[in-house]
Amino acid sequence: LVFLMIGRLDKLEALCQSIAMNSDGLDGDDVSQKWNKDTPCAVIQNAGGRKDEAGGHSTAPSPPVQRVWRSTLGSLVLEIKNE
């Protein structure tokens, strides 16, 4: 499971909790059993983005600003907070 953009961590935390809680399989749907708090996931921030350090006047490629966090649904927000 990959989140390509995040805003506030409280919203990401609520989303992760909602996905895990609503995936307990109680509704009889096999699809709902795919995700739980141990499901591997990642957040990619500024996917493919680059920092323009030279004010747009350089011909050299600017360094990437993309950041990636890998964890599980149950601990993703804590991993981001602890960085």
Side-chain angles (χ1 to χ4, degrees):
L1 185 59
V2 176
F3 300 97
L4 291 178
M5 51 190 245
I6 60 170
R8 297 181 358 215
L9 284 181
D10 61 326
K11 293 201 178 259
L12 177 63
E13 185 171 31
L15 179 60
C16 289
Q17 289 174 355
S18 176
I19 290 170
M21 285 178 17
N22 291 325
S23 298
D24 58 10
L26 294 178
D27 60 3
D29 183 3
D30 288 338
V31 174
S32 68
Q33 296 178 9
K34 289 185 178 181
W35 297 321
N36 60 46
K37 66 181 179 72
D38 298 319
T39 300
C41 61
V43 167
I44 303 174
Q45 181 183 48
N46 296 320
R50 296 200 169 267
K51 184 176 182 179
D52 187 6
E53 293 180 327
H57 301 296
S58 175
T59 59
S62 57
V65 293
Q66 176 176 301
R67 296 173 67 188
V68 179
W69 294 271
R70 294 169 187 87
S71 191
T72 63
L73 279 175
S75 61
L76 180 62
V77 172
L78 185 60
E79 291 284 332
I80 294 171
K81 286 180 180 178
N82 287 335
E83 183 179 285

